[in-house]
Amino acid sequence: MNSVGERVGEAMHRMADDVRPGTTMSERVRHRTRRRQVRTAGGVTVGFAALTALIVFSAVGLRHVPPEPTPVPAEAPTFANVPAGWSQLPAPPEVRQDGTFVWAGDHLMDLGGTIPGSSSPTTSAYSLGPVGDGWSRLPDAPLASAGARAVWTGSEALFFGVGPDGWRGEAFDPAAIRWRILPDPPIERRDAFMLVWTGSELIVWGGGSRTGPPDRTGAAYDVGTNSWHRLPDAPLGLNQGQAVWAWPRMIVLGSLLDESNAASTKTAVGEEYDPRRNTWQVLPASSLSPQADSVVAMGRTVLAWDYVAQSQTGLFPIGSAPAQWRDVVEMPLRPTECYPDSAVVENDASPEAFAWLCGQAALWDQSRAAWMPITGAPTEGFRTDAPAFAAGDVIGAGRIVLLPPVGDHDWTTWAYRPPSNAPTAAEVAPPTFLAAVGWHTVSTSPDPTALEPNSDLAAWAANVPFDPADLAAAGNGHVLTVAGIPERTMRSLGADDVLITAWLPPGTQPLASPNVNFPTSQLPPLLSTADVAESWEGQVAPNVPEYRIWMTVDGRFLDVRVYFGTRHPSSGVLAAAQAELDRLRLPPT
Amino acid sequence: MDSGEERRLDELYRRHVPEMVRLAYVVTGDASVAEDLAQEAFVRVAGRFGHLRNRDAFGAYLRRALLNLCKNHFRRRDTERKFLSTESEPGSTHPQEAADTTYAVRSALLSLPVRQRAALALRYFEDLSIEETARALGCRPGTVKSLTSRAFHSLRVRLSEEEVDPA
């Protein structure tokens, strides 16, 4: 029989085998990292506060921190200067129909298509960016294409649906400036197939004609082994729909239409494929129209919408918890007889979904769970029948959305940059403690640009100085930019010491409904009502109890926790803690 | 950012983040949370310390930031759990159904306090020494021994029906 330690190790390694994290940094992570680098570097050069932080970091063991003196640009030069709103970018030098555009990390690639008046696919390829103001010619592709689909892997653009029969793949590596041809896929050609990049594999799935049986087959191309493998057949076949990668599974949503455009289901339906288990699972039916849908993934949330301008977000938990579509939300668009399309665009607070419906546009702000109309679209109002706005034309390109040309009319590339969705100062106003002799207090930053996205709004108070490492870990020493826990301070509390944290938990404000666990009350929080835990998850030391006071104040949840250095604080210490709680203030609603 | 810096950032990500996702998954038991936390840790550490000359130090800082985020995650989850108890949200996600022989151990692991679980993960998943684990958790080596000892005790109690021998 193994020891517990060995069994623990074995169980943990088996657990870890369940996850197959991608090795490619997402644009969102890259952007946030750059922002932090810029902030850190700028602070070090100009700010005493940051200098203090640097000293603190050194004190905790950092010995090699050459500060980066020059702020780095957050975007490729070609696209960094695109202002908020709509902009016109240079069009590709060759007018072609059915060309394939793909965002390749820092530049836009354009491949193939047919010259107007000709039915012959071409092999020419162009790049807009990453440097310069115009398009540049790339080496010709080995296989001609028209109407291919493409994904960006982080190092290569993979094009599928190329070649004489339109059922092959080719890849371009911009760093090596080199093309290669992919092996033949192990599944038969079909129309309306769906394509996603999983982080390590290209999945080609579904589609099929409207006159024959649905095609439930698919295959995955592994770039690491340069080989394909078949997927198990899906439970549902869909010949109209979209696929999206919502880590760690592919979500497909759509319908099965016949030659009269009649759907086999009343609403759009979907299923998910999990590459880790190589299994499919049918999702609950949505409430959306089965005629034309678009779907995007923003983190763990999937947003789907249809041509009659209604949307739903979906929660698809991993494991045994049930998948669920949330209530339908009306969009600020007019229902229009054309295919919807959408793309994810990065923004300050959280990614947003850009929705495009034949010249009308709207933006889904995930952080506020709301749609906003986008006015001034360049083609608004007169493109209701144009094939240029069929699915596949909207490309998320980091902080902007690109609408490259498709037909031979209006040979123009449009770009849209959403306004910042960073929270306002009022939205990030933290709780505070009034100053009092003998007490040390600190709150999260009221500066929306300094506060970490999704950080809790919090305040700390203690009748002992905060450990500098706690302040350094959660902020710059003067304000908190991340609502961490003053763990070191907490760990060193003595019998007469008190530490208080007060939070306004994010994501629950404003309240949708009353909650019995957060009874409606008024300030101050009363220690006499606290739920006392002598042993609690993450307890820093056995002598530190946690007094929890959860309440609803002016329609907001307030989470207050009080820590002492003993399980049996004296009446004097309890009174001192209550006096500090009396000094807690919340920002105006 | 020049292309050299971009490549360096990409290399740091490729080298460290997948392993951090696995570590976070072992600690949190939630795959999507694990990826979020690992990416958040990378943003914070690469944002501040991306220019470390000593590459090994980057991994140590990343691991420590990740474990702090795991602890914060559980603290926040406390509140969310309370909030959700009267809402119609689906239950929290769990990693696996009882499909393999180690399910009982997994289940017992996920019932441990997060610091004990983190200590076990560092010792028996990351194969760190007691001293390295202490540095990652920001505590003394004696505390690591105490955390693992208490964790083993809890596991033995929970797994007693599984006929687990003492370590």
Side-chain angles (χ1 to χ4, degrees):
Chain A
M1 182 73 70
N2 291 340
S3 72
V4 175
E6 287 169 346
R7 286 192 66 179
V8 164
E10 182 187 333
M12 285 180 164
H13 281 284
R14 286 200 184 190
M15 276 182 79
D17 287 342
D18 287 345
V19 290
R20 289 170 54 182
T23 56
T24 307
M25 193 180 341
S26 71
E27 277 306 304
R28 177 167 170 72
V29 170
R30 185 184 303 279
H31 174 70
R32 290 191 57 215
T33 306
R34 288 167 172 171
R35 270 186 64 199
R36 262 208 170 240
Q37 286 179 328
V38 170
R39 255 191 353 233
T40 305
V44 166
T45 52
V46 302
F48 174 75
L51 180 61
T52 306
L54 188 63
I55 293 168
V56 170
F57 293 142
S58 300
V60 297
L62 187 62
R63 294 291 179 263
H64 308 287
V65 192
E68 174 62 64
T70 310
V72 293
E75 289 180 80
T78 302
F79 303 97
N81 296 326
V82 173
W86 292 98
S87 300
Q88 196 168 1
L89 300 181
E94 254 187 311
V95 175
R96 284 169 295 155
Q97 293 174 322
D98 294 328
T100 303
F101 293 86
V102 61
W103 177 248
D106 57 5
H107 62 282
L108 180 67
M109 263 193 79
D110 170 22
L111 171 69
T114 58
I115 296 169
S118 163
S119 59
S120 300
T122 61
T123 58
S124 55
Y126 296 91
S127 164
L128 178 61
V131 293
D133 295 324
W135 290 82
S136 52
R137 180 87 188 236
L138 300 173
D140 282 358
L143 299 173
S145 67
R149 309 279 302 281
V151 298
W152 173 245
T153 71
S155 58
E156 282 184 312
L158 302 181
F159 295 86
F160 190 80
V162 306
D165 60 353
W167 197 241
R168 299 197 64 185
E170 58 191 353
F172 181 71
D173 178 346
I177 318 176
R178 186 173 57 221
W179 286 94
R180 67 185 178 94
I181 297 176
L182 309 188
D184 289 342
I187 52 174
E188 293 181 359
R189 188 188 184 289
R190 78 285 307 265
D191 296 326
F193 62 89
M194 300 170 211
L195 198 73
V196 298
W197 171 246
T198 70
S200 60
E201 292 183 330
L202 172 77
I203 294 180
V204 178
W205 180 82
S209 78
R210 296 187 177 183
T211 55
D215 203 325
R216 299 182 294 122
T217 63
Y221 169 72
D222 184 332
V223 288
T225 61
N226 190 32
S227 62
W228 290 88
H229 62 88
R230 282 185 70 116
L231 307 187
D233 288 357
L236 306 175
L238 304 175
N239 58 15
Q240 181 284 126
Q242 285 192 350
V244 65
W245 179 248
W247 186 90
R249 60 278 167 97
M250 173 175 75
I251 304 278
V252 295
L253 180 79
S255 59
L256 194 59
L257 301 178
D258 65 17
E259 51 195 323
S260 304
N261 219 25
S264 62
T265 50
K266 287 184 178 176
T267 60
V269 294
E271 53 201 336
E272 66 173 60
Y273 169 68
D274 184 341
R276 300 169 307 162
R277 301 187 178 89
N278 199 28
T279 55
W280 286 91
Q281 184 176 330
V282 176
L283 298 174
S286 74
S287 303
L288 302 177
S289 164
Q291 301 297 329
D293 309 281
S294 183
V295 57
V296 289
M298 291 166 290
R300 277 172 281 164
T301 301
V302 172
L303 173 81
W305 61 287
D306 61 22
Y307 79 120
V308 294
Q310 51 181 6
S311 71
Q312 276 186 294
T313 52
L315 291 172
F316 306 121
I318 303 162
S320 56
Q324 185 185 48
W325 288 104
R326 286 184 161 153
D327 293 341
V328 168
V329 176
E330 299 297 324
M331 301 170 66
L333 301 173
R334 295 182 306 278
T336 307
E337 280 287 343
C338 66
Y339 285 101
D341 194 15
S342 42
V344 174
V345 59
E346 301 293 333
N347 209 327
D348 292 319
S350 62
E352 296 178 311
F354 175 92
W356 180 252
L357 188 65
C358 286
Q360 302 176 77
L363 204 60
W364 171 257
D365 184 336
Q366 178 67 17
S367 62
R368 295 176 176 86
W371 282 103
M372 292 176 299
I374 297 175
T375 56
T379 54
E380 191 167 23
F382 68 95
R383 279 294 177 193
T384 55
D385 59 350
F389 305 113
D393 300 335
V394 178
I395 296 175
R399 301 277 292 188
I400 58 177
V401 175
L402 296 173
L403 289 87
V406 174
D408 57 355
H409 44 263
D410 287 352
W411 191 244
T412 298
T413 302
W414 288 96
Y416 175 76
R417 180 189 292 272
S420 170
N421 66 353
T424 64
E427 287 174 323
V428 299
T432 52
F433 288 91
L434 298 179
V437 174
W439 284 83
H440 305 264
T441 64
V442 64
S443 293
T444 46
S445 171
D447 177 359
T449 62
L451 195 66
E452 280 295 307
N454 301 318
S455 185
D456 300 338
L457 307 176
W460 302 344
N463 61 357
V464 290
F466 291 111
D467 188 302
D470 284 338
L471 295 171
N476 65 11
H478 299 283
V479 294
L480 307 180
T481 56
V482 182
I485 303 169
E487 188 180 326
R488 286 169 177 268
T489 314
M490 202 184 292
R491 197 183 300 147
S492 59
L493 291 177
D496 294 332
D497 299 339
V498 183
L499 188 152
I500 303 173
T501 63
W503 293 11
L504 293 170
T508 56
Q509 320 279 356
L511 301 180
S513 59
N515 189 302
V516 294
N517 297 303
F518 291 77
T520 300
S521 188
Q522 292 182 329
L523 294 180
L526 297 175
L527 263 182
S528 57
T529 65
D531 179 11
V532 181
E534 293 190 343
S535 173
W536 40 282
E537 189 168 76
Q539 187 167 21
V540 295
N543 64 307
V544 178
E546 184 176 70
Y547 286 53
R548 298 174 189 162
I549 310 168
W550 288 340
M551 55 204 294
T552 299
V553 180
D554 295 334
R556 291 171 293 186
F557 286 157
L558 174 63
D559 175 337
V560 177
R561 306 194 192 196
V562 185
Y563 303 93
F564 301 99
T566 171
R567 291 187 178 195
H568 306 288
S570 67
S571 56
V573 171
L574 289 171
Q578 183 59 58
E580 184 64 1
L581 288 174
D582 292 347
R583 290 188 282 271
L584 177 63
R585 296 291 181 270
L586 299 187
T589 52
Chain B
M1 184 175 286
D2 62 40
S3 58
E5 185 61 27
E6 285 282 4
R7 278 197 298 276
R8 196 164 173 280
L9 203 59
D10 284 331
E11 183 198 329
L12 279 174
Y13 190 94
R14 269 196 302 273
R15 181 173 168 189
H16 294 288
V17 171
E19 191 56 31
M20 290 300 108
V21 173
R22 293 188 185 94
L23 174 61
Y25 178 60
V26 168
V27 174
T28 64
D30 185 317
S32 39
V33 167
E35 177 150 274
D36 285 352
L37 295 181
Q39 289 185 349
E40 183 64 30
F42 180 83
V43 168
R44 292 183 184 185
V45 177
R48 272 181 175 159
F49 307 139
H51 306 286
L52 284 174
R53 282 195 290 265
N54 180 354
R55 297 293 179 87
D56 293 336
F58 183 89
Y61 278 103
L62 188 61
R63 185 184 294 119
R64 188 161 176 168
L66 177 72
L67 293 171
N68 280 332
L69 288 171
C70 287
K71 278 188 289 187
N72 282 2
H73 164 74
F74 280 101
R75 180 183 162 108
R76 177 184 285 188
R77 205 186 60 173
D78 259 1
T79 309
E80 288 175 351
R81 213 184 267 145
K82 279 280 190 182
F83 170 71
L84 293 174
S85 64
T86 57
E87 297 289 312
S88 58
E89 197 86 359
S92 62
T93 58
H94 292 289
Q96 285 289 300
E97 292 74 28
D100 60 45
T101 57
T102 58
Y103 177 75
V105 181
R106 290 181 187 201
S107 174
L109 281 171
L110 292 174
S111 73
L112 296 175
V114 63
R115 269 171 69 84
Q116 291 181 21
R117 206 181 313 155
L120 291 185
L122 292 171
R123 292 280 290 121
Y124 299 101
F125 176 69
E126 293 272 285
D127 286 329
L128 299 189
S129 68
I130 287 178
E131 289 71 23
E132 289 168 329
T133 302
R135 277 198 291 278
L137 289 177
C139 64
R140 292 189 301 274
T143 308
V144 173
K145 292 178 188 172
S146 159
L147 285 169
T148 52
S149 168
R150 270 186 282 160
F152 279 158
H153 174 76
S154 301
L155 288 175
R156 281 193 203 98
V157 171
R158 283 195 57 114
L159 299 174
S160 56
E161 293 176 3
E162 302 283 314
E163 299 178 2
V164 173
D165 284 346

